[in-house]
């Protein structure tokens, strides 16, 4: 192609040949990238040049594909030739060589040829997915932050740029963005928190990585202690405090709260002020020329100290030593008077004294005669009613209808009943509304009124205390009156009392609406006694047989308080916590011959002596008073403390609660942990896990379970118990092992924390921690994960979650495990484990004294309830009270075997005594044998 030259070309060659130079390239082809489908243009320009052709991948490019131009250089007169070709994307893709696609230029002159450089051609691209996306970090302040980024593969290689909150991040002394595409922050600042994005770009496109959230947090630090406060008492032993705050620095962005106590207390002794007191007067001085004498005293008995008051009065006392008979010239009279005047003055003085004595005697005689005269004629003036004791009967009159306290006074009396009984006053419905609407002052003028109601409807009023009197007072607002559920507006007093001497009590004022409705249960009990149970709360009440008089019934109730008033129960100075629910039993006018047995569940770990546990009762003015300490002995009530509940023998109705004061940081409170799950109503792919931390009492868990039942939650695992120590350390909850490719969790919620004070006082409100999850695909129907609950430097519990998030595949897990949670009251024999006949036989045996003293003491010892025996000693039947406590202690799982074993041991002990105890031994042996019979035989005997 290049061997033959035309004549014109030959002449040109001769012209060029005269220059004596080879072709020199003024422009060589450059390396290029093919973007998308756009072709690449390659240019070559040389002088002097006869011809220029491209050669690609070792092969000549056809002349038809060349575009040539030629012009003469004005300075040298030499010919300049320029050649251009187009290279398409298809040509590059079809080339399969050991190296990249390349092209060069070859230029001819008469002296020879010259070659240009090789130009490499490549197809430009940038992949979509990053080889490594940056990951979010939570770092403490001044910590190092390293965010890794590996851009996607591309030609040419992509350049990386970092964005923070969509703004470019520049490099400085603290931030380095050029370290192999990574972002390095040497010392994190609060301002470094934000959303970071890695941006990769080349000539083809730009790609963005996933956003990495960086949180710079600050852990809390304690400030300096404040100065000790002044002693809180003016005199004697008191307490002073100092405090510090978690503000140096304050926790930010999820940083941990300060560990330790924010308040320290220390005992102090304030010096009591001593008021000053006068000492004894000194002797009078000798009369001076002024006819005066003096004496003095000092404020030294005692001296005023520590701010005490100084003595009131004069320090110096002055007196005229002559009685005012001093002469004008300041001389004494006996010094100036002559002898005659002295004698006459003495006679006048003695005469005056004699006249005074006679006058006094006459007055005394006159007064005596007057009093004797009045005593003879004034006896009939004395009120003879004072001798009657104040108990005079009168009848209700039909005409006397003005007094609202005289209910249904026009009704005819029932003369068929001759016995006397007592009962609270019951109002009809119309009268109830009238009295309730009135102010409480209606009852204020009669705070100590005593009313005795006879069967003949005769009422006596008086001021002395009688066993059959009823003190009218404001009833407890949560009293359950017998027979108030039906409408008794048209029934008289006889109908209200049911004709069987039933006793009821009506609260005069309706209680204010609490934040949560109280749990209540009620039942009507008679002479046979029975049991009240609040289901699934660990709270019950045992009314012993014979506690209520024969042919008398009481409507009794129990209430578990659910409002937020428990803070008034606790003493801040003692740092007390509530260990049980507040339980009320009544009515307030209850009249029983023996104590009732109440069982209350608690959440204290009482294995070690780290608690001071007390029983408290609410007074009529809504204040709480301490009834007894569990460790001490008392004659007012009895407390049997067990691992999970407390059995109380009580004689007075009212509201009771167990409170505890931690004696050391080793005091342990039991928490019950439960996890519930339910679908998210706002997100079809969402699922919510709720973890509860409540006091380990059945009542507290029932409250949570009831709320979850309404909410549609499902219990995902059996609840577990966590021992929480009173060491001021917080409680941490975290979710683990969530399938990353199936589920996502809301950021910054994987680890949550409750402060110590929230957990320690968790009886106020159940603690709830929520984890919100979302599945990536509707096909993911199973969720498996673990939830860790641990106290800092304490015990840890793992809650294993494995559930189906599809409603049709969920397994129903019951909230309660009790076989029967609907029975609230039992009357008569079915409420007791000990049959009545055996109970009477035991009481008759052990209430009788013998040579060894009261045998009931040995019975209490064998039944392991021999503490505080002084309480049983004051009971009419100590054995009956001991058996009532045994009934309360064994109401759920106990049987008669333990009682039978105790009686058998007592029988063996008595068999070694003298013959006088043989009768008691034989009775004990017969009772033990009876206890060994089947339950069916015992029930038949009782029936």
């Amino acid at each position: 192609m290049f061997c033959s030259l035309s004549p014109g070309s030959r002449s040109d060659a001769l012209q060029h040949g005269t220059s004596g130079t080879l072709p020199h390239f003024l422009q060589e082809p450059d390396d290029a990238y093919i973007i998308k489908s756009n072709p690449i243009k390659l240019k070559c320009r040389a002088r002097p040049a006869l011809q220029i052709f491209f050669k690609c991948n070792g092969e000549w490019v056809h002349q038809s594909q060349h575009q040539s131009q030629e012009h003469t250089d004005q300075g040298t007169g030499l010919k300049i030739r320029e050649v251009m070709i187009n290279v398409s994307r298809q040509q590059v893709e079809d080339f399969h060589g050991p190296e990249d696609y390349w092209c060069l230029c070859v230029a001819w002159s008469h002296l020879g040829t010259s070659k240009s450089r090789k130009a490499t051609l490549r197809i430009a691209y940038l992949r979509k997915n990053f080889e490594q996306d940056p990951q979010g970090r939570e770092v403490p302040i001044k910590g190092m932050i390293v965010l890794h980024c590996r851009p996607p593969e591309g030609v040419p290689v992509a350049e990386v740029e970092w964005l923070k909150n969509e703004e470019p991040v520049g490099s400085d002394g603290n931030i380095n963005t050029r370290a192999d595409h990574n972002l390095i922050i040497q010392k994190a600042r609060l301002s470094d928190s934000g959303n970071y994005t890695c941006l990769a770009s080349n000539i083809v496109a730009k790609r963005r990585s996933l956003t990495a959230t960086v949180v710079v947090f600050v852990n809390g630090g304690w400030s300096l202690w404040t100065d000790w406060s002044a002693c809180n008492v003016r005199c004697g032993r008191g307490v002073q405090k100092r405090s510090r705050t978690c503000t140096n620095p304050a926790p930010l962005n999820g940083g941990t709260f300060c560990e330790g106590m924010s308040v320290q207390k220390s005992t102090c002794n304030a010096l009591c002020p001593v008021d000053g007191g006068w000492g004894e007067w000194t002797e009078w001085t000798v009369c001076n020329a002024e006819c005066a004498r003096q004496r003095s005293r000092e404020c030294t008995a005692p001296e005023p100290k520590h701010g005490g008051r100084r003595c009131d009065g004069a320090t110096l006392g002055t007196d005229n030593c002559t009685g005012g008979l001093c002469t004008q010239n300041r001389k004494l009279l006996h010094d100036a008077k002559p002898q005659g005047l002295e004698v006459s003055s003495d006679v006048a003085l003695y005469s005056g004294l004699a006249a005074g004595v006679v006058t006094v005697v006459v007055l005394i005689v006159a007064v005596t005669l007057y009093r004797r005269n009045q005593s003879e004629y004034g006896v009939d003036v004395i009120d003879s009613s004072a001798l009657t004791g104040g108990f005079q009967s009168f009848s209700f009159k039909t005409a006397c209808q003005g007094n609202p306290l005289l209910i249904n006074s026009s009704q005819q009396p029932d003369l068929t009943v001759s016995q006397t009984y007592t009962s609270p006053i019951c109002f009809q419905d119309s009268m109830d509304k009238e009295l309730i609407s009135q102010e409480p002052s209606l009852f204020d003028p009669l705070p100590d009124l005593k009313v005795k109601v006879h069967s003949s409807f005769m009422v006596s009023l008086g001021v002395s205390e009688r066993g059959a009197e009823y003190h009218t007072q404001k009833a407890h607002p949560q009293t359950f009156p017998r027979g108030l559920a039906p409408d008794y507006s048209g029934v008289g007093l006889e109908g209200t009392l049911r004709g069987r001497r039933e006793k009821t009590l009506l609260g005069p004022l309706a209680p204010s609406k609490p934040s949560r409705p109280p749990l209540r249960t009620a039942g009507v009990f008679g002479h046979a006694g029975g049991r009240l149970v609040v289901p699934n709360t660990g709270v019950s009440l045992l009314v012993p047989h014979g506690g209520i008089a024969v042919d008398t019934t009481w409507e009794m109730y129990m209430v578990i308080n659910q409002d937020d008033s428990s803070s008034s129960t606790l003493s801040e100075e003692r740092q007390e916590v509530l260990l049980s629910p507040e339980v009320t039993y009544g009515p307030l006018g209850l009249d029983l011959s023996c104590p009732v047995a109440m069982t209350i569940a608690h959440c204290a770990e009482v294995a070690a002596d780290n608690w001071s546990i007390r029983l408290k009762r609410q007074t009529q003015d809504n204040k709480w008073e301490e009834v007894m300490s569990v460790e001490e002995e008392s004659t007012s009530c009895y407390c049997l403390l067990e691992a999970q509940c407390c059995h109380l023998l009580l004689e007075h109705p009212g509201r009771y609660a167990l409170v505890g004061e931690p004696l050391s940081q080793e005091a342990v409170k039991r928490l019950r942990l439960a996890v519930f799950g339910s679908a998210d109503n706002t997100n079809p792919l969402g699922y919510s896990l709720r973890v509860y931390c409540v006091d380990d009492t059945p009542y507290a868990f029932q409250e949570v379970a009831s709320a979850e039942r309404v909410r549609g939650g499902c219990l995902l695992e059996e609840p577990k118990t966590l021992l929480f120590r009173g060491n001021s350390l917080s409680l941490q909850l975290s979710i683990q092992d969530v399938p990353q490719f199936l589920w996502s969790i809301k950021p910054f919620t994987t680890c949550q924390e409750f402060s110590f004070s929230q957990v320690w006082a968790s009886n106020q409100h159940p603690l709830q921690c929520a984890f919100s999850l979302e599945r990536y695909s509707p096909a993911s129907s199973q969720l498996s994960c673990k939830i860790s609950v641990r106290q800092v430097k304490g015990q840890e519990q793992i809650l294993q979650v494995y559930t189906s998030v599809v409603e049709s595949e969920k397994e129903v897990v019951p909230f309660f495990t009790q076989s029967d949670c609907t029975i609230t009251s039992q009357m008569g024999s079915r409420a007791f484990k000990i049959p009545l006949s055996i109970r009477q036989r035991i009481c008759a045996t052990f209430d009788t004294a013998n040579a060894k003293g009261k045998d009931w003491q040995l019975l209490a010892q064998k039944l392991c309830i021999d503490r505080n025996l002084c309480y049983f000693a004051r009971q009419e039947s100590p054995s009956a009270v001991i058996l009532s406590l045994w009934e309360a202690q064994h109401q759920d799982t106990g049987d008669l075997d333990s009682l039978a074993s105790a009686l058998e041991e007592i029988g063996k002990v008595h068999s070694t005594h003298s013959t006088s105890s043989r009768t008691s031994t034989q009775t004990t042996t017969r009772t033990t044998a009876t206890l060994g019979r089947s339950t069916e035989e015992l029930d038949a005997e009782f029936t």
Side-chain angles (χ1 to χ4, degrees):
M1 174 174 68
F2 303 105
C3 293
S4 61
L5 297 174
S6 62
S9 299
R10 186 177 293 110
S11 61
D12 293 339
L14 292 175
Q15 179 183 358
H16 291 297
T18 59
S19 66
T21 60
L22 290 173
H24 173 68
F25 284 97
L26 300 177
Q27 180 179 358
E28 295 181 274
D30 294 327
D31 296 337
Y33 295 95
I34 297 177
I35 302 173
K36 298 182 180 180
S37 299
N38 300 324
I40 295 296
K41 292 182 180 181
L42 298 179
K43 290 183 180 181
C44 282
R45 188 167 67 243
R47 73 178 180 188
L50 297 176
Q51 290 291 344
I52 299 177
F53 288 94
F54 274 92
K55 192 176 184 179
C56 294
N57 300 321
E59 296 181 359
W60 294 104
V61 179
H62 196 274
Q63 186 179 4
S64 62
Q65 297 180 6
H66 289 72
Q67 300 176 12
S68 301
Q69 292 181 358
E70 187 180 46
H71 60 276
T72 302
D73 189 351
Q74 298 295 333
T76 61
L78 298 177
K79 295 289 186 181
I80 298 175
R81 182 174 291 276
E82 181 178 310
V83 179
M84 181 179 64
I85 65 172
N86 291 329
V87 180
S88 67
R89 181 185 181 96
Q90 188 66 36
Q91 290 176 278
V92 178
E93 289 180 347
D94 292 343
F95 174 71
H96 301 286
E99 55 184 354
D100 293 333
Y101 192 98
W102 58 269
C103 292
L104 57 80
C105 296
V106 180
W108 278 267
S109 70
H110 73 286
L111 292 181
T113 61
S114 296
K115 292 182 180 180
S116 70
R117 65 177 294 275
K118 284 184 178 181
T120 302
L121 301 182
R122 304 178 66 184
I123 299 175
Y125 67 92
L126 184 62
R127 305 290 186 195
K128 291 184 178 181
N129 296 327
F130 279 72
E131 295 184 6
Q132 182 179 6
D133 287 299
Q135 300 294 322
R137 293 285 186 272
E138 295 182 9
V139 295
I141 193 169
K142 297 184 179 181
M144 177 180 286
I145 302 175
V146 179
L147 298 180
H148 299 281
C149 176
R150 294 178 61 187
E153 179 186 356
V155 175
V157 176
E159 296 181 355
V160 171
E161 181 184 10
W162 284 93
L163 302 178
K164 173 192 173 186
N165 299 331
E166 304 303 325
E167 296 292 334
V169 178
S171 297
D172 56 21
N174 190 42
I175 302 177
N176 184 6
T177 60
R178 296 182 292 272
D180 193 20
H181 307 313
N182 298 328
L183 174 66
I184 300 176
I185 302 177
Q186 298 294 337
K187 292 184 178 181
R189 300 159 296 189
L190 289 176
S191 59
D192 293 327
S193 298
N195 296 322
Y196 288 82
T197 307
C198 181
L199 182 63
S201 61
N202 63 5
I203 59 175
V204 179
K206 292 183 178 181
R207 305 283 188 242
R208 293 171 60 94
S209 69
L210 297 178
T211 300
T213 302
V214 174
V215 176
V216 180
F217 62 86
V218 179
N219 292 326
W222 289 115
S223 65
L224 296 177
W225 287 103
T226 61
D227 295 334
W228 287 102
S229 64
C231 207
N232 64 340
V233 295
R234 183 171 176 266
C235 171
R237 185 181 178 87
V239 177
Q240 59 181 166
K241 303 178 182 179
R242 67 173 183 174
S243 61
R244 57 180 179 176
T245 58
C246 190
T247 56
N248 187 30
L252 292 175
N253 297 338
T256 59
F257 197 79
C258 304
E259 295 185 2
M261 301 179 64
S262 61
V263 178
Q264 278 188 348
K265 295 183 180 180
S266 176
T267 57
C268 56
N269 288 307
L271 298 176
C272 297
V274 178
D275 295 335
W278 289 114
E280 296 291 336
W281 288 100
T282 60
E283 297 293 334
W284 288 104
T285 60
V286 179
C287 231
N288 58 16
E290 303 294 331
C291 301
R293 56 179 180 176
Q294 296 179 344
R295 62 176 180 176
S296 62
R297 57 179 178 176
E298 295 182 356
C299 189
T300 57
E303 294 182 1
K305 296 180 181 178
H306 314 308
R309 295 192 303 272
R310 298 188 59 83
C311 302
D312 294 332
T315 305
L316 187 65
T318 304
D319 185 29
N320 191 303
C321 51
T322 64
L325 301 180
C326 201
T327 59
Q328 291 183 357
N329 58 359
R330 304 295 184 181
K331 292 184 180 181
L332 299 179
L333 288 176
H334 63 81
D335 293 337
K337 290 187 294 183
Q339 186 69 22
L341 292 177
E342 180 181 356
V343 175
S344 61
S345 177
D346 291 340
V347 173
L349 176 63
Y350 293 144
S351 301
L353 290 175
V357 170
V358 173
T359 304
V360 170
V361 172
V362 172
L363 289 176
I364 291 175
V365 173
V367 170
T368 303
L369 293 176
Y370 174 77
R371 289 187 176 181
R372 183 175 301 173
N373 187 35
Q374 290 295 325
S375 63
E376 292 177 358
Y377 297 98
V379 175
D380 57 342
V381 182
I382 298 177
D383 187 2
S384 60
S385 62
L387 305 176
T388 63
F391 282 86
Q392 298 299 323
S393 299
F394 61 93
S395 300
F396 285 121
K397 303 296 183 180
T398 304
C400 299
Q401 299 178 355
N403 189 347
L405 291 178
L406 306 181
I407 304 303
N408 203 9
S409 56
S410 61
Q411 189 175 5
Q412 294 298 323
D414 183 6
L415 303 179
T416 59
V417 182
S418 59
Q419 299 180 358
T420 302
Y421 68 98
T422 64
S423 172
I425 300 177
C426 297
F427 301 98
Q428 301 175 7
D429 280 358
S430 59
M431 190 66 67
D432 293 341
K433 298 177 182 178
E434 179 182 353
L435 293 180
I436 292 175
S437 62
Q438 293 178 356
E439 294 294 329
S441 59
L442 173 64
F443 297 93
D444 291 344
L446 303 173
D448 298 322
L449 181 64
K450 304 183 180 76
V451 181
K452 179 162 64 177
V453 183
H454 296 267
S455 58
S456 58
F457 294 94
M458 302 294 290
V459 178
S460 299
L461 302 178
V463 294
S464 64
E465 295 185 359
R466 300 286 182 91
E469 292 173 352
Y470 172 72
H471 295 248
T472 61
Q473 54 186 337
K474 295 182 181 180
H476 195 280
Q478 295 173 337
T479 302
F480 283 81
R482 173 78 192 276
L484 284 186
D487 183 9
Y488 290 132
S489 59
V491 182
L493 186 60
E494 293 174 336
T496 306
L497 295 179
R498 304 268 187 188
R500 289 188 56 204
R501 296 157 44 189
E502 298 174 353
K503 300 188 178 184
T504 60
L505 188 63
L506 173 65
L509 294 176
S512 60
K513 182 178 180 181
S515 59
R516 289 172 289 176
L519 294 176
R520 308 180 178 216
T521 182
V524 180
F525 297 95
H527 183 71
R531 189 189 308 275
L532 273 179
V533 178
V534 183
N536 305 305
T537 61
V539 176
S540 62
L541 185 73
L542 182 74
V543 182
H545 179 277
I548 300 176
V550 181
D551 199 20
T552 302
T553 58
W554 278 96
E555 181 167 8
M556 301 180 61
Y557 65 87
M558 271 199 310
V559 180
I560 298 181
N561 180 43
Q562 290 184 287
D563 57 24
D564 298 331
S565 63
S566 58
S567 58
S568 62
T569 316
L570 310 176
S571 171
E572 295 182 359
E573 182 177 351
R574 292 181 175 177
Q575 298 180 345
E576 292 178 338
V577 294
L578 196 61
L579 300 178
S580 73
E582 298 177 7
V583 181
T584 304
Y585 88 92
L588 290 182
L590 187 63
D591 183 17
L592 299 178
S593 60
C594 58
V596 297
M598 178 187 290
T599 300
I600 307 178
H602 65 81
C603 61
E605 190 70 13
V606 295
D609 297 333
N610 296 318
W611 286 99
S612 175
I613 301 178
R614 305 178 181 89
L615 177 66
K616 286 193 173 184
R617 177 175 57 202
Q618 190 178 34
T619 60
Q620 293 183 1
D621 54 356
N622 294 330
K623 294 182 179 180
W624 288 84
E625 63 179 3
E626 181 177 329
V627 179
M628 67 172 296
S629 176
V630 174
E631 296 82 7
E632 300 175 356
E633 294 190 357
S634 173
T635 57
S636 60
C637 62
Y638 190 95
C639 181
L640 178 61
L641 187 66
E642 294 185 330
Q644 295 184 341
C645 63
C646 181
H647 307 287
L648 305 171
L649 293 177
L650 305 173
E651 300 179 6
H652 303 288
R655 178 179 293 183
Y656 294 87
L658 284 178
V659 299
E661 176 188 0
L663 301 179
S664 68
Q665 292 189 352
E666 297 301 318
V668 174
K669 181 180 177 183
R670 296 191 316 275
L671 299 180
R672 182 172 295 189
L673 312 177
V675 55
F676 291 82
S678 64
D680 191 347
N681 296 330
T682 61
N683 185 2
L685 298 180
Y687 195 77
S688 177
L689 295 176
R690 292 177 297 278
V691 183
Y692 291 90
C693 305
V694 298
D695 291 351
D696 186 23
T697 60
Y699 159 71
F701 181 69
Q702 185 203 23
E703 184 180 8
V704 170
S706 299
E708 281 293 330
R709 187 184 298 275
V710 175
R711 196 172 187 174
C714 179
L715 182 64
L716 302 183
E717 193 191 9
E718 283 294 323
K720 294 186 178 181
T721 301
L722 177 73
L723 301 182
F724 189 80
R725 299 187 179 276
N727 52 13
S728 303
L729 298 180
S730 58
L731 187 71
Q732 296 179 345
L733 299 91
S734 61
I735 186 169
Q736 305 169 2
D737 299 344
V738 178
Q740 297 183 358
F741 300 103
L742 300 177
W743 292 83
S744 66
I745 187 170
K746 188 177 181 181
F748 311 118
T749 61
T750 56
C751 183
Q752 302 183 36
E753 187 169 346
F754 291 122
S755 66
F756 171 80
S757 58
Q758 288 178 296
V759 183
W760 200 243
S762 58
N763 59 283
Q764 301 291 330
H765 300 285
L767 298 182
Q768 174 186 345
C769 171
F771 297 102
S772 298
L773 295 92
E774 183 177 0
R775 44 185 172 157
Y776 291 116
S777 171
S780 302
S781 61
Q782 302 295 326
L783 173 61
S784 176
C785 63
K786 292 190 299 185
I787 297 177
S788 170
V789 184
R790 63 181 291 268
Q791 186 182 16
V792 178
K793 300 180 182 179
Q795 188 184 18
E796 179 182 19
Q797 284 286 11
I798 300 295
L799 300 175
Q800 185 70 46
V801 175
Y802 183 78
T803 183
S804 171
V805 299
V806 181
E807 293 292 338
S808 59
E809 298 181 4
K810 285 186 179 179
E811 296 181 0
V812 178
V813 180
F815 288 158
F816 309 107
T817 58
Q818 289 89 334
S819 59
D820 189 354
C821 59
T822 60
I823 299 177
T824 60
S825 62
Q826 292 176 311
M827 289 75 174
S829 61
R830 296 188 178 276
F832 303 97
K833 292 187 175 295
I834 307 175
L836 177 60
S837 58
I838 297 179
R839 179 187 179 94
Q840 293 174 342
R841 197 176 304 169
I842 294 176
C843 294
T845 301
F846 292 102
D847 283 343
T848 304
N850 57 22
K852 293 288 293 182
K854 285 288 186 180
D855 279 347
W856 58 263
Q857 301 183 30
L858 187 58
L859 175 65
Q861 179 183 355
K862 294 301 179 181
L863 295 180
C864 301
I865 50 177
D866 54 341
R867 193 184 65 83
N868 195 10
L869 292 179
C870 58
Y871 177 82
F872 299 115
R874 59 180 289 269
Q875 303 297 326
E876 182 179 353
S877 175
S879 301
V881 179
I882 293 173
L883 294 180
S884 297
L885 186 59
W886 185 92
E887 287 273 7
Q889 187 180 8
H890 298 83
Q891 59 179 304
D892 294 328
T893 59
D895 52 28
L896 294 176
D897 292 342
S898 60
L899 181 59
S901 300
L903 295 176
E904 186 176 358
E905 292 182 12
I906 294 175
K908 292 179 180 179
V909 171
H910 276 259
S911 63
T912 60
H913 296 332
S914 61
T915 310
S916 61
S917 62
R918 291 180 181 175
T919 303
S920 176
T921 303
Q922 294 173 359
T923 305
T924 304
T925 304
R926 288 196 303 269
T927 305
T928 305
T930 307
L931 286 172
R933 291 186 295 168
S934 64
T935 306
E936 291 78 4
E937 295 175 351
L938 296 176
D939 290 341
E941 178 182 345
F942 181 82
T943 305

